[in-house]
Amino acid sequence: MFPRLSRLSTRAASSLAVALGLAGSLLTPASAAPAADPAYKVLVFSKTAGFRHDSIPAGTQTIRDLGSANNFTVTATEDSNAFTTANLAGFKAVVFLSTTGDVLNTTQQSALQSYVDGGGGYLGIHAAADTEYEWPQYQQLVGAWFKSHPAIQQATVRTEDRANPATSHLGQTWSRTDEWYNYRTNPRPDVRVLQSLDEGSYNGGEMSGDHPITWCHPQGSGRSFYTGLGHTQESYADPAFRSLLLGGIRYAAGFAKADCRPETGYTSLYNGSTTGWSQAGPGSFTNTDATLTSTGGMGLYWYRAKEFASYSLKLDWRMPGDDNSGVFVGFPASDDPNSAVSQGYEIQIDATDSADRTTGAVYGFKSADIAARDAALNPPGSWNTYEIRVEGERLQVFLNGTRVNDFTNTDPVRSLAQGYIGIQNHGTGDDVAFRNIRIKELGGTNPPTSTTYEGESYTSSQGVQAADHAPASGGRTLGYIENGDWAGYAQASLTGAKTFTAKVSSAGAGGTVQVRSGSATGPVIGTVSVPNTGGWETFSTVSTALSGTPTGPVFLTFTGGAGSLFDIDTFTLGR
């Protein structure tokens, strides 16, 4: 049992988050402190082994100024010997400020990777992407390597994510002059793109019209943020760019929360245009700057153009104080908002109500995981992002990328399997704003050809526990698996299943998954081996065919050597 206890202690330490009280937002100038973050330290590294940017001194001074105004202190260095495990432990974030070439040796690279994977923050500025070409893991950390650039010129920057603390102060477009990098690969599949370039607005873009320029992503238990802006000295005098840097630093340091998981395949329901939307009941929403803001009520602004069955709904929201609103799902078409209340479900937005009626709760039915919610929540005045994931009668709520609720409908009067979505205007004085409402359909009402389940969503078990891992789906895995343990999934029907595929990780002995039908001692209908993948947050996919005509719920049993064997992030039944 000692390996399991040791791993629990390590994971708990790496997942600690510091709550903050944020009274303002990045709509204020970057020189004014948006919040009283706890005091922390930032390391600014600007060593160059190639081209040296003359903007490095201006960039260093800007970060010092931001620190003076926002309660962090800056250590600036060009000494690679700063990259030791002991030294990095004293910093909340490390900034690579227009570094170039090979600036770290193997030991120093390992220290940086362990620091970020273990919960630290990385922020790369401009030529940070022109660095460490001989170190493959650095490409993953920064997101993409530099390829080329045209002459300095004006271009239009599109803001794709206006909820991130680095970009929430910006409009939908931003015209500015800089040196615009092309990258060797498009990072979009692996990062959350915050800004991209309009290649038609300047000469020399070489990324086929999809040109990310600022992005972020989880990295192990830590966070990575990169912007290609910042070549010129003038950039660092620009208040909008300074606010972008401040938001990136606060995200990397772990004080400003954001959903930085990769995002592709979503369709916009609202990003300025209200086509397809309709008000039910009193009150309304104003529509300004691609932002819907509630007024009066109690009413519901619902998307009547289409009913949805299985989907991931994402939207950004902000409340200025102790306000009240919510997102309704699974309700029938009606111009009476009470239909949504009595026949749908509300995912609540409220700063101070009771546990089953506060932010992240399925209103009146299930409280959010309050500890997880509090760790993920940006306070009033800041933007937050919900993902509401509906699959059959299961509803999951993610707040800024962290799962805070997992609810299954059993009420015969209600059904999540088909319905409409809407946002509430609660009443006078309850002012909540919404941005960027988008949806990804996951399948219709017919049985899908494959169904994916979270490993940690077991309904019965022996020995196993849920384990926190930022890179995993929903931030958690089925973990602490040892020889003889098992997990059952009453919600996962084997009827018609032909294949079993699992996303797994292991820094232990590896082992074997046995897929059983009906019970933990039921017939074995499939077996698959799990190798050591090189780390608990390094995932691989394993698969096996299922035999016979299995029915009943899935049970997984585990065999192998001593100690912790492997983790399961998700598993998929193919039909």
Side-chain angles (χ1 to χ4, degrees), residues 126-131 133 139 142 144-150 179-186 199 204-208 211 213 215 226:
H126 194 57
D130 188 22
T131 302
Y133 292 104
Q139 181 185 17
V142 72
W145 273 317
F146 164 80
K147 176 186 175 184
S148 64
H149 65 79
E179 181 182 73
W180 305 112
Y181 276 8
N182 298 304
Y183 300 95
R184 297 185 183 187
T185 56
N186 190 322
E199 289 194 335
E206 298 179 354
M207 298 190 68
S208 302
H211 196 138
I213 197 67
W215 56 76
Y226 169 81

mmCIF file of all heavy atoms in Angstrom, residues 126-131 133 139 142 144-150 179-186 199 204-208 211 213 215 226:
data_model
loop_
_atom_site.group_PDB
_atom_site.id
_atom_site.type_symbol
_atom_site.label_atom_id
_atom_site.label_comp_id
_atom_site.label_asym_id
_atom_site.label_seq_id
_atom_site.Cartn_x
_atom_site.Cartn_y
_atom_site.Cartn_z
ATOM 1 N N HIS A 126 7.368 35.972 -27.662
ATOM 2 C CA HIS A 126 7.935 36.162 -28.989
ATOM 3 C C HIS A 126 8.980 35.086 -29.321
ATOM 4 O O HIS A 126 8.620 33.957 -29.599
ATOM 5 C CB HIS A 126 8.512 37.572 -29.108
ATOM 6 C CG HIS A 126 8.815 37.966 -30.530
ATOM 7 N ND1 HIS A 126 7.870 37.952 -31.518
ATOM 8 C CD2 HIS A 126 9.983 38.380 -31.122
ATOM 9 C CE1 HIS A 126 8.422 38.335 -32.664
ATOM 10 N NE2 HIS A 126 9.702 38.593 -32.447
ATOM 11 N N ALA A 127 10.266 35.407 -29.260
ATOM 12 C CA ALA A 127 11.297 34.477 -29.726
ATOM 13 C C ALA A 127 11.518 33.299 -28.792
ATOM 14 O O ALA A 127 12.394 32.466 -29.055
ATOM 15 C CB ALA A 127 12.615 35.223 -29.951
ATOM 16 N N ALA A 128 10.734 33.189 -27.733
ATOM 17 C CA ALA A 128 10.780 31.956 -26.938
ATOM 18 C C ALA A 128 10.486 30.748 -27.808
ATOM 19 O O ALA A 128 10.915 29.631 -27.508
ATOM 20 C CB ALA A 128 9.776 32.038 -25.789
ATOM 21 N N ALA A 129 9.763 30.960 -28.923
ATOM 22 C CA ALA A 129 9.495 29.873 -29.870
ATOM 23 C C ALA A 129 10.687 29.583 -30.771
ATOM 24 O O ALA A 129 10.676 28.597 -31.516
ATOM 25 C CB ALA A 129 8.278 30.216 -30.732
ATOM 26 N N ASP A 130 11.716 30.413 -30.718
ATOM 27 C CA ASP A 130 12.942 30.250 -31.514
ATOM 28 C C ASP A 130 14.054 29.702 -30.623
ATOM 29 O O ASP A 130 15.185 30.163 -30.662
ATOM 30 C CB ASP A 130 13.320 31.609 -32.118
ATOM 31 C CG ASP A 130 14.460 31.512 -33.124
ATOM 32 O OD1 ASP A 130 14.682 30.418 -33.677
ATOM 33 O OD2 ASP A 130 15.138 32.537 -33.342
ATOM 34 N N THR A 131 13.716 28.701 -29.831
ATOM 35 C CA THR A 131 14.589 28.255 -28.743
ATOM 36 C C THR A 131 14.525 26.738 -28.609
ATOM 37 O O THR A 131 13.486 26.126 -28.840
ATOM 38 C CB THR A 131 14.133 28.921 -27.417
ATOM 39 O OG1 THR A 131 14.163 30.331 -27.560
ATOM 40 C CG2 THR A 131 15.030 28.515 -26.253
ATOM 41 N N TYR A 133 15.691 23.910 -30.122
ATOM 42 C CA TYR A 133 15.238 23.044 -31.208
ATOM 43 C C TYR A 133 15.691 21.594 -31.044
ATOM 44 O O TYR A 133 15.104 20.697 -31.649
ATOM 45 C CB TYR A 133 15.727 23.582 -32.549
ATOM 46 C CG TYR A 133 15.093 24.892 -32.965
ATOM 47 C CD1 TYR A 133 15.779 26.090 -32.867
ATOM 48 C CD2 TYR A 133 13.791 24.924 -33.464
ATOM 49 C CE1 TYR A 133 15.201 27.290 -33.248
ATOM 50 C CE2 TYR A 133 13.205 26.116 -33.849
ATOM 51 C CZ TYR A 133 13.914 27.303 -33.733
ATOM 52 O OH TYR A 133 13.326 28.479 -34.113
ATOM 53 N N GLN A 139 9.120 21.805 -27.583
ATOM 54 C CA GLN A 139 8.070 22.128 -28.536
ATOM 55 C C GLN A 139 6.697 21.939 -27.896
ATOM 56 O O GLN A 139 5.780 22.746 -28.102
ATOM 57 C CB GLN A 139 8.171 21.270 -29.798
ATOM 58 C CG GLN A 139 7.099 21.614 -30.834
ATOM 59 C CD GLN A 139 7.114 20.702 -32.042
ATOM 60 O OE1 GLN A 139 7.696 19.621 -32.007
ATOM 61 N NE2 GLN A 139 6.486 21.121 -33.114
ATOM 62 N N VAL A 142 6.275 24.987 -25.307
ATOM 63 C CA VAL A 142 5.993 26.302 -25.894
ATOM 64 C C VAL A 142 4.777 26.237 -26.815
ATOM 65 O O VAL A 142 4.076 27.240 -27.002
ATOM 66 C CB VAL A 142 7.233 26.849 -26.634
ATOM 67 C CG1 VAL A 142 7.492 26.098 -27.913
ATOM 68 C CG2 VAL A 142 7.110 28.345 -26.913
ATOM 69 N N ALA A 144 4.731 25.484 -30.248
ATOM 70 C CA ALA A 144 5.175 25.384 -31.645
ATOM 71 C C ALA A 144 6.506 26.095 -31.770
ATOM 72 O O ALA A 144 6.794 27.041 -31.025
ATOM 73 C CB ALA A 144 4.153 25.997 -32.602
ATOM 74 N N TRP A 145 7.317 25.644 -32.717
ATOM 75 C CA TRP A 145 8.600 26.288 -32.993
ATOM 76 C C TRP A 145 8.472 27.294 -34.135
ATOM 77 O O TRP A 145 7.707 27.105 -35.094
ATOM 78 C CB TRP A 145 9.652 25.246 -33.372
ATOM 79 C CG TRP A 145 10.362 24.649 -32.197
ATOM 80 C CD1 TRP A 145 10.837 25.285 -31.099
ATOM 81 C CD2 TRP A 145 10.722 23.269 -32.019
ATOM 82 N NE1 TRP A 145 11.460 24.412 -30.239
ATOM 83 C CE2 TRP A 145 11.402 23.158 -30.789
ATOM 84 C CE3 TRP A 145 10.536 22.121 -32.791
ATOM 85 C CZ2 TRP A 145 11.901 21.955 -30.299
ATOM 86 C CZ3 TRP A 145 11.025 20.917 -32.307
ATOM 87 C CH2 TRP A 145 11.702 20.825 -31.074
ATOM 88 N N PHE A 146 9.268 28.339 -34.038
ATOM 89 C CA PHE A 146 9.377 29.383 -35.062
ATOM 90 C C PHE A 146 9.839 28.801 -36.401
ATOM 91 O O PHE A 146 10.703 27.921 -36.445
ATOM 92 C CB PHE A 146 10.368 30.438 -34.565
ATOM 93 C CG PHE A 146 10.882 31.373 -35.613
ATOM 94 C CD1 PHE A 146 10.139 32.455 -36.044
ATOM 95 C CD2 PHE A 146 12.138 31.169 -36.181
ATOM 96 C CE1 PHE A 146 10.621 33.328 -36.999
ATOM 97 C CE2 PHE A 146 12.634 32.038 -37.136
ATOM 98 C CZ PHE A 146 11.866 33.114 -37.553
ATOM 99 N N LYS A 147 9.273 29.321 -37.476
ATOM 100 C CA LYS A 147 9.704 28.939 -38.817
ATOM 101 C C LYS A 147 10.308 30.118 -39.579
ATOM 102 O O LYS A 147 11.416 30.034 -40.102
ATOM 103 C CB LYS A 147 8.516 28.386 -39.601
ATOM 104 C CG LYS A 147 8.836 28.052 -41.057
ATOM 105 C CD LYS A 147 7.568 27.648 -41.813
ATOM 106 C CE LYS A 147 7.853 27.430 -43.291
ATOM 107 N NZ LYS A 147 6.605 27.136 -44.046
ATOM 108 N N SER A 148 9.573 31.258 -39.637
ATOM 109 C CA SER A 148 10.018 32.406 -40.427
ATOM 110 C C SER A 148 9.178 33.615 -40.051
ATOM 111 O O SER A 148 8.205 33.503 -39.286
ATOM 112 C CB SER A 148 9.869 32.120 -41.930
ATOM 113 O OG SER A 148 8.495 31.945 -42.261
ATOM 114 N N HIS A 149 9.549 34.772 -40.606
ATOM 115 C CA HIS A 149 8.712 35.949 -40.406
ATOM 116 C C HIS A 149 8.924 36.923 -41.565
ATOM 117 O O HIS A 149 10.022 37.020 -42.122
ATOM 118 C CB HIS A 149 9.023 36.651 -39.076
ATOM 119 C CG HIS A 149 10.401 37.229 -39.006
ATOM 120 N ND1 HIS A 149 10.741 38.435 -39.597
ATOM 121 C CD2 HIS A 149 11.534 36.773 -38.408
ATOM 122 C CE1 HIS A 149 12.019 38.694 -39.362
ATOM 123 N NE2 HIS A 149 12.530 37.694 -38.648
ATOM 124 N N PRO A 150 7.883 37.665 -41.941
ATOM 125 C CA PRO A 150 8.039 38.745 -42.917
ATOM 126 C C PRO A 150 8.517 40.013 -42.212
ATOM 127 O O PRO A 150 8.816 39.993 -41.009
ATOM 128 C CB PRO A 150 6.622 38.918 -43.465
ATOM 129 C CG PRO A 150 5.742 38.547 -42.306
ATOM 130 C CD PRO A 150 6.479 37.455 -41.556
ATOM 131 N N GLU A 179 6.262 42.028 -35.411
ATOM 132 C CA GLU A 179 6.896 41.069 -36.312
ATOM 133 C C GLU A 179 6.139 39.752 -36.159
ATOM 134 O O GLU A 179 6.135 39.148 -35.086
ATOM 135 C CB GLU A 179 8.372 40.875 -35.925
ATOM 136 C CG GLU A 179 9.123 39.915 -36.827
ATOM 137 C CD GLU A 179 10.553 39.734 -36.359
ATOM 138 O OE1 GLU A 179 10.760 39.064 -35.313
ATOM 139 O OE2 GLU A 179 11.469 40.271 -37.011
ATOM 140 N N TRP A 180 5.485 39.319 -37.244
ATOM 141 C CA TRP A 180 4.523 38.237 -37.159
ATOM 142 C C TRP A 180 5.161 36.906 -37.540
ATOM 143 O O TRP A 180 5.517 36.670 -38.682
ATOM 144 C CB TRP A 180 3.323 38.542 -38.056
ATOM 145 C CG TRP A 180 2.705 39.867 -37.724
ATOM 146 C CD1 TRP A 180 2.694 40.991 -38.503
ATOM 147 C CD2 TRP A 180 2.047 40.218 -36.507
ATOM 148 N NE1 TRP A 180 2.056 42.009 -37.858
ATOM 149 C CE2 TRP A 180 1.647 41.575 -36.618
ATOM 150 C CE3 TRP A 180 1.750 39.528 -35.326
ATOM 151 C CZ2 TRP A 180 0.966 42.242 -35.601
ATOM 152 C CZ3 TRP A 180 1.077 40.194 -34.309
ATOM 153 C CH2 TRP A 180 0.689 41.528 -34.465
ATOM 154 N N TYR A 181 5.285 36.043 -36.553
ATOM 155 C CA TYR A 181 5.931 34.746 -36.754
ATOM 156 C C TYR A 181 5.016 33.776 -37.507
ATOM 157 O O TYR A 181 3.811 33.699 -37.261
ATOM 158 C CB TYR A 181 6.282 34.115 -35.412
ATOM 159 C CG TYR A 181 7.584 34.571 -34.799
ATOM 160 C CD1 TYR A 181 8.323 35.618 -35.346
ATOM 161 C CD2 TYR A 181 8.084 33.942 -33.658
ATOM 162 C CE1 TYR A 181 9.516 36.022 -34.767
ATOM 163 C CE2 TYR A 181 9.276 34.329 -33.079
ATOM 164 C CZ TYR A 181 9.990 35.381 -33.627
ATOM 165 O OH TYR A 181 11.174 35.777 -33.067
ATOM 166 N N ASN A 182 5.628 32.999 -38.402
ATOM 167 C CA ASN A 182 5.062 31.758 -38.894
ATOM 168 C C ASN A 182 5.675 30.617 -38.067
ATOM 169 O O ASN A 182 6.830 30.708 -37.631
ATOM 170 C CB ASN A 182 5.390 31.548 -40.371
ATOM 171 C CG ASN A 182 4.817 32.636 -41.248
ATOM 172 O OD1 ASN A 182 3.619 32.888 -41.240
ATOM 173 N ND2 ASN A 182 5.675 33.306 -42.020
ATOM 174 N N TYR A 183 4.921 29.552 -37.864
ATOM 175 C CA TYR A 183 5.389 28.439 -37.043
ATOM 176 C C TYR A 183 5.496 27.167 -37.879
ATOM 177 O O TYR A 183 4.822 27.011 -38.895
ATOM 178 C CB TYR A 183 4.451 28.237 -35.842
ATOM 179 C CG TYR A 183 4.386 29.471 -34.978
ATOM 180 C CD1 TYR A 183 3.370 30.413 -35.156
ATOM 181 C CD2 TYR A 183 5.368 29.734 -34.030
ATOM 182 C CE1 TYR A 183 3.331 31.573 -34.389
ATOM 183 C CE2 TYR A 183 5.334 30.887 -33.267
ATOM 184 C CZ TYR A 183 4.315 31.809 -33.455
ATOM 185 O OH TYR A 183 4.294 32.966 -32.698
ATOM 186 N N ARG A 184 6.368 26.269 -37.438
ATOM 187 C CA ARG A 184 6.620 25.039 -38.195
ATOM 188 C C ARG A 184 5.395 24.124 -38.218
ATOM 189 O O ARG A 184 5.210 23.364 -39.181
ATOM 190 C CB ARG A 184 7.816 24.299 -37.587
ATOM 191 C CG ARG A 184 9.116 25.086 -37.660
ATOM 192 C CD ARG A 184 10.288 24.259 -37.168
ATOM 193 N NE ARG A 184 11.534 25.033 -37.174
ATOM 194 C CZ ARG A 184 12.730 24.521 -36.919
ATOM 195 N NH1 ARG A 184 12.843 23.223 -36.636
ATOM 196 N NH2 ARG A 184 13.804 25.288 -36.934
ATOM 197 N N THR A 185 4.606 24.168 -37.164
ATOM 198 C CA THR A 185 3.372 23.377 -37.093
ATOM 199 C C THR A 185 2.274 24.263 -36.527
ATOM 200 O O THR A 185 2.538 25.264 -35.862
ATOM 201 C CB THR A 185 3.545 22.152 -36.176
ATOM 202 O OG1 THR A 185 3.978 22.594 -34.872
ATOM 203 C CG2 THR A 185 4.572 21.183 -36.740
ATOM 204 N N ASN A 186 1.045 23.879 -36.802
ATOM 205 C CA ASN A 186 -0.086 24.596 -36.224
ATOM 206 C C ASN A 186 -0.371 24.009 -34.844
ATOM 207 O O ASN A 186 -0.684 22.820 -34.724
ATOM 208 C CB ASN A 186 -1.313 24.462 -37.123
ATOM 209 C CG ASN A 186 -2.444 25.381 -36.693
ATOM 210 O OD1 ASN A 186 -2.685 25.591 -35.509
ATOM 211 N ND2 ASN A 186 -3.155 25.930 -37.672
ATOM 212 N N GLU A 199 -4.566 36.582 -41.932
ATOM 213 C CA GLU A 199 -3.476 36.589 -42.916
ATOM 214 C C GLU A 199 -3.783 37.478 -44.118
ATOM 215 O O GLU A 199 -2.875 37.857 -44.848
ATOM 216 C CB GLU A 199 -3.153 35.160 -43.361
ATOM 217 C CG GLU A 199 -2.458 34.350 -42.277
ATOM 218 C CD GLU A 199 -1.839 33.064 -42.810
ATOM 219 O OE1 GLU A 199 -2.311 32.547 -43.842
ATOM 220 O OE2 GLU A 199 -0.865 32.580 -42.191
ATOM 221 N N GLY A 204 2.867 37.983 -45.987
ATOM 222 C CA GLY A 204 3.884 37.074 -45.476
ATOM 223 C C GLY A 204 3.383 35.989 -44.554
ATOM 224 O O GLY A 204 4.188 35.206 -44.039
ATOM 225 N N GLY A 205 2.069 35.893 -44.349
ATOM 226 C CA GLY A 205 1.538 34.794 -43.554
ATOM 227 C C GLY A 205 1.622 33.483 -44.311
ATOM 228 O O GLY A 205 1.253 33.421 -45.487
ATOM 229 N N GLU A 206 2.081 32.414 -43.652
ATOM 230 C CA GLU A 206 2.327 31.147 -44.332
ATOM 231 C C GLU A 206 1.649 29.964 -43.631
ATOM 232 O O GLU A 206 2.149 28.843 -43.695
ATOM 233 C CB GLU A 206 3.829 30.893 -44.426
ATOM 234 C CG GLU A 206 4.581 31.942 -45.240
ATOM 235 C CD GLU A 206 6.080 31.676 -45.291
ATOM 236 O OE1 GLU A 206 6.545 30.733 -44.594
ATOM 237 O OE2 GLU A 206 6.788 32.412 -46.004
ATOM 238 N N MET A 207 0.491 30.223 -42.977
ATOM 239 C CA MET A 207 -0.137 29.135 -42.230
ATOM 240 C C MET A 207 -1.543 28.817 -42.754
ATOM 241 O O MET A 207 -2.424 28.402 -42.006
ATOM 242 C CB MET A 207 -0.143 29.457 -40.735
ATOM 243 C CG MET A 207 1.280 29.588 -40.173
ATOM 244 S SD MET A 207 1.369 29.683 -38.383
ATOM 245 C CE MET A 207 0.841 28.033 -37.930
ATOM 246 N N SER A 208 -1.716 29.029 -44.039
ATOM 247 C CA SER A 208 -2.929 28.601 -44.758
ATOM 248 C C SER A 208 -4.207 29.163 -44.150
ATOM 249 O O SER A 208 -5.259 28.509 -44.170
ATOM 250 C CB SER A 208 -2.997 27.069 -44.801
ATOM 251 O OG SER A 208 -1.847 26.535 -45.424
ATOM 252 N N HIS A 211 -3.890 30.852 -38.320
ATOM 253 C CA HIS A 211 -2.596 31.341 -37.862
ATOM 254 C C HIS A 211 -2.653 31.743 -36.380
ATOM 255 O O HIS A 211 -2.764 32.927 -36.042
ATOM 256 C CB HIS A 211 -2.180 32.549 -38.705
ATOM 257 C CG HIS A 211 -0.732 32.891 -38.588
ATOM 258 N ND1 HIS A 211 0.030 33.247 -39.672
ATOM 259 C CD2 HIS A 211 0.117 32.930 -37.531
ATOM 260 C CE1 HIS A 211 1.272 33.505 -39.278
ATOM 261 N NE2 HIS A 211 1.337 33.319 -37.974
ATOM 262 N N ILE A 213 -1.501 32.928 -32.779
ATOM 263 C CA ILE A 213 -0.381 33.783 -32.383
ATOM 264 C C ILE A 213 -0.241 33.888 -30.860
ATOM 265 O O ILE A 213 0.820 34.198 -30.356
ATOM 266 C CB ILE A 213 -0.496 35.188 -33.033
ATOM 267 C CG1 ILE A 213 0.846 35.930 -32.988
ATOM 268 C CG2 ILE A 213 -1.615 36.001 -32.388
ATOM 269 C CD1 ILE A 213 1.923 35.322 -33.849
ATOM 270 N N TRP A 215 -1.563 31.589 -27.246
ATOM 271 C CA TRP A 215 -2.281 30.397 -26.804
ATOM 272 C C TRP A 215 -1.855 29.989 -25.404
ATOM 273 O O TRP A 215 -0.893 30.533 -24.840
ATOM 274 C CB TRP A 215 -2.065 29.248 -27.784
ATOM 275 C CG TRP A 215 -0.616 28.867 -28.042
ATOM 276 C CD1 TRP A 215 0.215 28.168 -27.220
ATOM 277 C CD2 TRP A 215 0.162 29.176 -29.218
ATOM 278 N NE1 TRP A 215 1.454 28.000 -27.809
ATOM 279 C CE2 TRP A 215 1.443 28.611 -29.035
ATOM 280 C CE3 TRP A 215 -0.121 29.857 -30.406
ATOM 281 C CZ2 TRP A 215 2.466 28.718 -29.985
ATOM 282 C CZ3 TRP A 215 0.883 29.969 -31.363
ATOM 283 C CH2 TRP A 215 2.158 29.405 -31.146
ATOM 284 N N TYR A 226 1.857 31.245 -24.153
ATOM 285 C CA TYR A 226 2.804 31.799 -25.128
ATOM 286 C C TYR A 226 2.113 32.861 -25.962
ATOM 287 O O TYR A 226 0.942 32.707 -26.345
ATOM 288 C CB TYR A 226 3.333 30.703 -26.069
ATOM 289 C CG TYR A 226 4.102 31.280 -27.240
ATOM 290 C CD1 TYR A 226 5.443 31.677 -27.097
ATOM 291 C CD2 TYR A 226 3.495 31.488 -28.476
ATOM 292 C CE1 TYR A 226 6.134 32.245 -28.153
ATOM 293 C CE2 TYR A 226 4.191 32.053 -29.541
ATOM 294 C CZ TYR A 226 5.508 32.429 -29.368
ATOM 295 O OH TYR A 226 6.185 33.002 -30.411
#
